[in-house]
Amino acid sequence: MTIDIDKIKLEESWKEALRDEFVKPYFAELKNNLLNAKNSGSIIYPPMSLLFNAFYLTPFSKVKVVLLGQDPYHNKGQAMGLSFSVPSGILLPPSLKNIYKELENDLNIPPSTSGDLSKWAKEGVLLLNSILSVEENKPQSHAKFGWQEFTDAVISKVSKQKEGIVFLLWGNYAKSKEKLIDKTKHYILTAPHPSPLARGAFFGCKHFSKTNKILQSLGKEPINWRL
């Protein structure tokens, strides 16, 4: 079984980079898992039209930074296909509040009232969750669908085909993906997770300013983190 990638809302350079993945058996199984979940009456987040939103907003050719999350938000209206991001008008999740606090401490950028990080995505920050779908109110419910194989391939392809990418790995789960990244070509910044459960250990990492210093040292435009 193959997948018609032309019907997937995906930026063209990603379609080319990931073409081989869409025809592998695991991806056909992943699609079947999603269809079965949908046909069972489960409410799935994000909406199907936003499932590949990270790849739509950040072309493969424009990726400068990869910010890795784990699982989409599972409450109504939150997930929008971008790690850590929620649509404008939705209450800011605790982790995002802490991200904004660190941004203010690091670069003196006041916290946004909106949780929509689409602007970062358009700046070249790939806001990638390892798992791209979830059932309503059931965190990690799609953890065994096969998403990790797909997103691991994404990380590997970025590592192999590009140079000078800054990978932001927050928390132990994200750090476990370090093995997929060629450290001789890329930059890896690790920190505790911004979740309040980490008891503030995330604060002081200064990853926003560090990222921009790296990009500037490579002759690249820095990220405008202001939302």
Side-chain angles (χ1 to χ4, degrees):
M1 180 179 179
T2 59
I3 309 299
D4 184 359
I5 66 169
D6 293 325
K7 293 182 180 179
I8 295 174
K9 190 177 180 182
L10 200 66
E11 190 277 329
E12 287 301 319
S13 60
W14 276 113
K15 284 187 180 182
E16 187 58 38
L18 297 173
R19 189 170 295 275
D20 292 346
E21 297 304 312
F22 290 118
V23 296
K24 288 182 178 178
Y26 84 84
F27 199 85
E29 185 177 350
L30 169 57
K31 183 188 178 187
N32 284 335
N33 287 333
L34 275 174
L35 288 174
N36 289 338
K38 188 176 181 182
N39 291 337
S40 73
S42 298
I43 297 174
I44 298 171
Y45 298 136
M48 288 296 169
S49 61
L50 296 177
L51 206 56
F52 294 95
N53 198 22
F55 305 97
Y56 182 71
L57 293 180
T58 311
F60 183 77
S61 56
K62 300 290 180 64
V63 175
K64 298 178 184 177
V65 179
V66 177
L67 175 51
L68 188 65
Q70 183 174 358
D71 203 30
Y73 296 120
H74 56 85
N75 293 326
K76 184 178 180 180
Q78 290 183 311
M80 56 181 296
L82 305 174
S83 61
F84 297 104
S85 181
V86 294
S88 291
I90 298 295
L91 194 67
L92 298 183
S95 291
L96 186 54
K97 284 184 180 179
N98 283 346
I99 290 170
Y100 284 174
K101 286 179 184 177
E102 177 59 23
L103 181 60
E104 183 173 31
N105 292 336
D106 186 9
L107 291 176
N108 201 31
I109 294 175
S112 175
T113 55
S114 169
D116 187 347
L117 304 181
S118 296
K119 186 174 179 293
W120 290 1
K122 293 173 184 176
E123 285 276 321
V125 182
L126 181 64
L127 297 165
L128 180 66
N129 277 320
S130 182
I131 303 163
L132 298 189
S133 64
V134 70
E135 185 177 341
E136 184 177 41
N137 299 327
K138 294 183 179 179
Q140 298 190 49
S141 49
H142 292 183
K144 295 182 179 179
F145 274 24
W147 281 123
Q148 289 97 323
E149 190 167 351
F150 175 70
T151 52
D152 281 1
V154 169
I155 296 168
S156 295
K157 286 179 186 292
V158 170
S159 177
K160 289 174 183 175
Q161 297 182 27
K162 300 183 76 69
E163 292 186 9
I165 303 300
V166 182
F167 289 84
L168 302 180
L169 307 181
W170 297 344
N172 291 331
Y173 182 84
K175 291 174 190 175
S176 73
K177 304 298 182 178
E178 196 169 345
K179 62 183 181 293
L180 302 172
I181 304 163
D182 185 345
K183 300 177 185 64
T184 66
K185 296 169 57 183
H186 304 288
Y187 300 82
I188 300 173
L189 300 180
T190 64
H193 198 278
S195 166
L197 297 175
R199 301 176 183 272
F202 173 74
F203 297 128
C205 70
K206 297 188 179 297
H207 279 188
F208 304 102
S209 60
K210 288 178 180 178
T211 294
N212 279 352
K213 285 176 183 176
I214 291 169
L215 294 176
Q216 287 174 308
S217 75
L218 298 171
K220 298 180 181 182
E221 282 291 316
I223 303 298
N224 179 3
W225 296 105
R226 189 178 297 273
L227 293 167

